[in-house]
Amino acid sequence: MRILLYNPDNGVTRNFMPHLWMFLLQALTPAGHEVLLIDGNAQPMDEAGIAQYVREQNIGLVGIGAMTRMIAKAYRMADAIRAIGVPVVMGGPHVTEEADEALGRNGGPRHADAVALGEADETWPKIVEDAARGKLKDVYAPVDEFGQERKPTLQPYPAIPWDKINLDQFNLVPKMAKRTLQRISDGWGTFRIIPIESGRGCPYGCEFCTVTGFFGDSIRFRSNESVVNELLLLKARAKSEGGQIAVFFIDDNFAINIKRTKSLLRDIIAAGAQVHWVAQISANLLRDEELVDLIAASGGKWVFIGMESIDPVNLADVNKGFNKPGEYAAVLERLAQRNVYAITSFIFGMDNDTPGVAERTLQEIRTWPAGLPIFGLITPLPGTPLYKRLADAGRLTRPKHWQEFIPFAMAHTPLKMTIAQAHAEVKHGWARSYSAEAMAQAVHSLRHKPLGYRINIFIARMCFRGIYFPQMGPWAWLKLIAQNRHTIFSLVKEAFITWHGRPVSAGPTEVTEGFEQESV
Ligand code: B12
Ligand code: SF4
């Protein structure tokens, strides 16, 4: 049987990274079946397009995975596939919480023939076998023979054949630049960010988050050896194709067990498996100097920190009191000293937020080493304690907000401001952080840092800006470049003087050195 695994596009940005679930399920598919992958962010498709593809490729089963924000598109695509008589199985965090919606059991239309609840590592082979026999069940739950929930141990972990998979759709280097860039130093003909998990689960249980409910509050880790081997495989692939690779450790809290994280990072260093990597780590765990040293030494370049709010009352409200705003500056300083960049994430519209919260947050941010701030609105995702609390209090204004997804729009009324005011706050955060003046200011504030570091932060800021201000297509980019021409000109001028001023023998290799050390 030919199987298609499909992830819908998010409709806002092109994705910078493929989704791990597809590669994992592909690796777990029983022998004798062929699996094709389409990520809608890399290969946009509409309903007619996917139906045609499924028909032409003689696909016998389609698996669709989606987050809540993409679920409406996922359902439309599933409907188009089912209309031509091909069965659809859906999985992922949204349908795990809303299985009845996907199966049409709550009065709405049916979108999926089957739903895989929770982690599907162990149920997927069964789903494929049942589909091949034409005997798909409605629901597949990860349970043992006694009906108790069973989570995959991750030991052993399936070997994803990264050296053989066709990754053409995930090359971030534009096609026209590929051949020229391939010749530079170790090669930049390809640049891919690949997701790797080293563990699953999170004990913290923040009120707005689905992770503790979905993956559980006890953490399961892969062996260090299996992670190191995966890194070595990716590194070898990048080298063989004259390209670069970076890794996103998608663990929800990569340092949740500091002792184990340090041991993994030491093993990565010992095996020479360093690649540039990014990970999510909560601020409280970054107090440890040795950990931060190891992060930098093992290739860590970007750390995503869910700061959420600078107000301890807000943090306590959402069960995230372990975040201490008083220590944010020290944590960021610790990372910056090792040239590790921070992506700092904030949520507005929380219950103790009042008008002006964005500007108050920006005033704090301006006192920290320049990084990448991002802003969102608190969103009641299905299955979270937050959703239940707001529903019980009658505060949900759009209880099924995912059916008509609107980016950056509240689905409930905040307590101390209006919905419109919350929207204005998030806009203010983005506009003030990503204006040409703010970008120039950020780059200038890092003037003591290596040029490669500054170029990186500038490029990253240009890309991150697109999360809120859509900048799809060449015209949008040209406009952005024009707005930021002064910063670009000064960086290019400095690069020319710095790198062309060097002895000729140190030429092209040295030219890219700054980029290589500072990229991701
Ligand atoms: C990496 C990641 C991202 C990446 C993007 C995705 C990518 N390219 O990988 C980035 C950083 C961009 C991102 C952004 C966001 N993310 Co995110 N992200 C994650 C994260 C940390 C890891 C995802 C992952 O690969 N997990 C590991 C794999 C193995 O697990 P999995 O995907 O769940 O797949 C398993 C099962 O679900 C199932 N399964 C999944 N799909 C399918 C399909 C079929 C057919 C079957 C049978 C089974 C199946 O089988 C898999 C193996 O067991 C998760 C948290 C988490 N730990 O999962 C959050 C998570 C998915 N993100 C979440 C959210 C909310 C967001 C944002 C909306 C945040 C925001 N406010 O901006 C944005 C939206 C981005 C966008 N524009 O689309 C939520 C989604 C909750 C929900 N109900 O939708 C999660 C769960 C985190 C959370 N806080 O609750 N995210
Ligand atoms: S927000 Fe982060 S720390 Fe909190 S429960 Fe979710 S994954 Fe854990």
Side-chain angles (χ1 to χ4, degrees):
M1 182 171 61
R2 296 192 100 195
I3 302 167
L4 170 66
L5 297 180
Y6 170 75
N7 201 98
D9 55 290
N10 64 44
V12 184
T13 53
R14 295 228 193 290
N15 221 347
F16 62 93
M17 174 175 84
H19 290 266
L20 180 59
W21 71 265
M22 303 176 124
F23 298 100
L24 203 53
L25 295 194
Q26 186 181 35
L28 290 166
T29 303
H33 303 281
E34 189 187 354
V35 182
L36 309 175
L37 310 180
I38 294 185
D39 186 326
N41 294 299
Q43 290 184 59
M45 259 188 197
D46 61 10
E47 290 88 323
I50 200 151
Q52 188 183 346
Y53 181 88
V54 167
R55 211 184 290 114
E56 283 173 5
Q57 296 292 325
N58 196 20
I59 306 282
L61 173 70
V62 179
I64 303 183
M67 294 185 206
T68 294
R69 61 184 281 145
M70 281 94 111
I71 204 69
K73 169 91 188 236
Y75 288 155
R76 287 199 301 277
M77 299 300 260
D79 295 348
I81 296 162
R82 295 182 74 235
I84 57 164
V86 176
V88 171
V89 51
M90 297 186 81
H94 183 83
V95 294
T96 295
E97 302 301 339
E98 294 286 333
D100 285 353
E101 176 184 84
L103 292 168
R105 289 175 175 173
N106 61 358
R110 181 170 185 151
H111 306 287
D113 295 277
V115 164
L117 302 180
E119 295 173 60
D121 310 49
E122 288 174 7
T123 47
W124 176 245
K126 178 92 184 101
I127 293 171
V128 172
E129 276 160 19
D130 285 359
R133 290 187 296 121
K135 298 234 179 288
L136 266 181
K137 295 191 195 65
D138 283 2
V139 175
Y140 290 84
V143 288
D144 62 18
E145 58 272 31
F146 306 107
Q148 296 294 312
E149 188 184 17
R150 185 166 67 191
K151 303 247 180 234
T153 61
L154 306 189
Q155 295 201 24
Y157 188 80
I160 301 178
W162 290 117
D163 49 340
K164 298 191 189 79
I165 301 174
N166 181 341
L167 291 172
D168 286 352
Q169 60 179 319
F170 304 112
N171 187 5
L172 296 177
V173 174
K175 272 194 194 118
M176 56 185 186
K178 189 175 167 179
R179 293 187 68 177
T180 316
L181 291 176
Q182 221 157 13
R183 286 186 232 117
I184 296 180
S185 184
D186 292 338
W188 275 86
T190 56
F191 176 53
R192 299 194 173 93
I193 304 180
I194 298 296
I196 291 192
E197 59 183 339
S198 83
R200 290 186 194 165
C202 179
Y204 286 159
C206 303
E207 195 194 28
F208 52 82
C209 179
T210 60
V211 169
T212 304
F214 189 91
F215 290 101
D217 57 6
S218 65
I219 306 139
R220 291 151 285 147
F221 294 117
R222 290 171 63 181
S223 68
N224 288 359
E225 191 190 3
S226 104
V227 178
V228 168
N229 287 343
E230 197 167 345
L231 291 172
L232 289 170
L233 197 65
L234 285 165
K235 213 172 163 175
R237 176 174 182 153
K239 194 166 181 212
S240 73
E241 59 189 20
Q244 302 290 326
I245 207 107
V247 158
F248 190 145
F249 284 111
I250 54 93
D251 305 41
D252 291 291
N253 211 337
F254 183 57
I256 189 73
N257 179 332
I258 293 192
K259 200 170 153 212
R260 177 262 170 189
T261 308
K262 286 182 182 174
S263 121
L264 173 62
L265 298 180
R266 283 193 195 102
D267 282 2
I268 291 174
I269 297 167
Q274 295 101 319
V275 296
H276 291 163
W277 59 261
V278 53
Q280 315 181 86
I281 303 179
S282 57
N284 57 327
L285 302 172
L286 292 163
R287 289 174 194 141
D288 190 309
E289 296 276 347
E290 190 189 26
L291 174 72
V292 186
D293 281 340
L294 284 165
I295 288 174
S298 61
K301 287 287 162 194
W302 294 94
V303 175
F304 179 104
I305 308 174
M307 294 188 158
E308 327 304 7
S309 177
I310 54 165
D311 175 357
V313 176
N314 271 334
L315 291 166
D317 278 352
V318 295
N319 200 30
K320 200 155 184 172
F322 60 86
N323 261 8
K324 306 286 177 214
E327 69 175 357
Y328 288 170
V331 161
L332 296 174
E333 207 49 69
R334 204 167 290 134
L335 291 172
Q337 277 162 7
R338 284 130 177 122
N339 288 346
V340 178
Y341 309 84
I343 303 164
T344 49
S345 165
F346 297 91
I347 303 175
F348 296 144
M350 292 168 100
D351 280 353
N352 203 39
D353 278 346
T354 52
V357 59
E359 191 48 42
R360 287 193 293 279
T361 308
L362 289 173
Q363 276 168 14
E364 281 283 308
I365 292 175
R366 287 184 199 115
T367 67
W368 302 336
L372 287 163
I374 57 176
F375 309 94
L377 287 162
I378 188 154
T379 306
L381 291 168
T384 56
L386 174 70
Y387 192 96
K388 187 170 181 318
R389 172 164 71 87
L390 294 172
D392 290 350
R395 288 176 58 196
L396 293 174
T397 51
R398 295 187 297 132
K400 302 269 176 195
H401 52 91
W402 51 89
Q403 288 176 352
E404 278 170 60
F405 173 72
I406 314 166
F408 297 102
M410 296 284 296
H412 70 279
T413 316
L415 274 187
K416 297 186 177 173
M417 56 180 161
T418 64
I419 287 180
Q421 283 169 331
H423 293 176
E425 293 299 330
V426 84
K427 187 172 183 186
H428 184 89
W430 282 99
R432 290 298 162 96
S433 302
Y434 290 87
S435 65
E437 297 72 38
M439 306 254 234
Q441 175 63 38
V443 172
H444 181 72
S445 73
L446 296 169
R447 57 195 176 282
H448 55 290
K449 291 280 187 191
L451 179 61
Y453 185 94
R454 278 173 287 143
I455 292 176
N456 254 290
I457 203 125
F458 177 70
I459 294 174
R461 277 198 172 225
M462 296 273 274
C463 296
F464 268 54
R465 185 187 176 280
I467 298 174
Y468 187 84
F469 299 107
Q471 50 198 39
M472 303 277 247
W475 282 115
W477 275 95
L478 277 177
K479 200 170 145 201
L480 186 62
I481 288 168
Q483 283 164 355
N484 287 278
R485 62 190 177 282
H486 296 303
T487 310
I488 295 171
F489 180 72
S490 73
L491 287 171
V492 170
K493 191 171 135 198
E494 192 181 331
F496 194 79
I497 294 167
T498 311
W499 292 328
H500 277 260
R502 290 192 179 182
V504 179
S505 60
T509 314
E510 295 285 304
V511 167
T512 53
E513 207 172 70
F515 281 101
E516 280 169 36
Q517 284 173 5
E518 304 301 342
S519 70
V520 166

